[in-house]
Amino acid sequence: MKKLCLFLLIFTMMTSTAFANSQTALVTDELYKDMEALKYPQVSEMEKPEMEDKINKTFQKYIKESYKELKENEKQAEKYDFQAEYQTDYEVKYNKSPKLSILTSNYIFSGGAHGNTTVESFNFDVDKGKRVYLTNILTEKEQIEAVRDYVWEYATDRPDIFYPDLKKEDIKLTKDTAFYFTDDGITLVFQQYEIAPYVAGNQEIHIPAEVYINSNKK
């Protein structure tokens, strides 16, 4: 019985270690200036300390800019007499070595019918030691066009969700376009109003890698 318990303990430890090693980082919550409205991520337990420091500094810069936006919104609320609201949040979308994808969302109400949420993506490749933008993946014109065609066809097949009169040129794919890694490609995240009405929210469209890899080989 003791041998069985010892075996189970060792097996559990080995399994936990293997699981931890498959992750790029441990991601935990932090509050800026102890404000519940300003939550942001910080990472730890990474294999490369210099990359860990770089990622944490990136998010520290992000939350400082968010704080400035919050304070400015409060000033506008006092000036124009509305109830200011501001909230940051984040979601870990991909965390498999060597890649990490985190989406941040900044909700702001500055008067009017409703508030708005802006999404920003933070994608990192530890092996390459850098933050990755969409234009680092779609490096050729043919790749951008192939992905734009894919998104347009996806949207036009769903006129109840997307703008029924959406034009292909309305789909902007730039360095600032939000996305996150997946096992077999990427998922694009569009801002409110960008390609769909406000009620549809931030639309996420998965793009299989074969869409943009094959287009680059033509």
Side-chain angles (χ1 to χ4, degrees):
M1 186 67 181
K2 289 182 178 179
K3 289 183 178 179
L4 177 61
C5 291
L6 180 60
F7 171 77
L8 290 175
L9 177 61
I10 294 173
F11 178 78
T12 301
M13 292 175 63
M14 290 177 65
T15 303
S16 299
T17 301
F19 176 75
N21 288 341
S22 69
Q23 289 191 331
T24 302
L26 175 66
V27 184
T28 54
D29 297 350
E30 292 289 341
L31 296 178
Y32 187 69
K33 294 183 179 293
D34 293 323
M35 298 176 66
E36 293 290 338
L38 295 176
K39 183 173 73 173
Y40 68 103
Q42 290 286 263
V43 301
S44 60
E45 298 185 14
M46 294 186 64
E47 292 183 0
K48 296 183 178 181
E50 66 278 8
M51 191 62 186
E52 181 179 305
D53 184 60
K54 180 183 294 187
I55 292 174
N56 284 334
K57 285 181 177 178
T58 297
F59 284 113
Q60 288 162 12
K61 179 181 179 182
Y62 150 78
I63 203 64
K64 288 177 181 177
E65 292 172 349
S66 298
Y67 174 73
K68 291 179 181 178
E69 187 176 46
L70 177 151
K71 299 305 289 184
E72 179 59 31
N73 193 47
E74 289 179 345
K75 290 181 181 178
Q76 293 299 311
E78 186 175 349
K79 181 177 181 180
Y80 295 105
D81 192 28
F82 64 85
Q83 184 64 45
E85 294 181 37
Y86 195 93
Q87 180 72 53
T88 67
D89 204 352
Y90 75 89
E91 183 177 0
V92 180
K93 285 292 191 177
Y94 196 81
N95 189 7
K96 293 183 181 180
S97 184
K99 296 176 180 177
L100 175 67
S101 290
I102 296 177
L103 287 184
T104 61
S105 59
N106 288 41
Y107 171 81
I108 183 171
F109 178 76
S110 51
H114 50 69
N116 291 289
T117 300
T118 301
V119 175
E120 185 175 359
S121 63
F122 294 82
N123 300 288
F124 303 93
D125 188 319
V126 177
D127 283 350
K128 295 180 180 179
K130 66 176 186 178
R131 182 175 175 181
V132 181
Y133 297 90
L134 184 62
T135 46
N136 296 131
I137 296 176
L138 308 181
T139 58
E140 303 292 336
K141 181 180 179 181
E142 292 77 11
Q143 292 176 296
I144 294 174
E145 290 302 321
V147 172
R148 181 178 285 116
D149 288 345
Y150 188 92
V151 172
W152 184 71
E153 290 175 8
Y154 180 95
T156 53
D157 285 343
R158 299 164 176 81
D160 56 323
I161 298 176
F162 298 88
Y163 292 130
D165 58 347
L166 180 71
K167 296 180 177 59
K168 196 178 296 184
E169 55 266 29
D170 295 331
I171 302 168
K172 309 299 182 184
L173 301 175
T174 69
K175 177 181 177 181
D176 295 325
T177 300
F179 79 96
Y180 56 86
F181 294 118
T182 66
D183 286 337
D184 62 343
I186 59 175
T187 293
L188 300 177
V189 185
F190 292 92
Q191 305 297 333
Q192 292 173 333
Y193 296 113
E194 193 171 1
I195 61 174
Y198 174 84
V199 68
N202 298 92
Q203 286 298 308
E204 300 186 12
I205 302 177
H206 176 62
I207 312 294
E210 61 189 34
V211 171
Y212 50 87
I213 292 177
N214 291 344
S215 67
N216 198 32
K217 294 180 179 179
K218 292 179 181 180

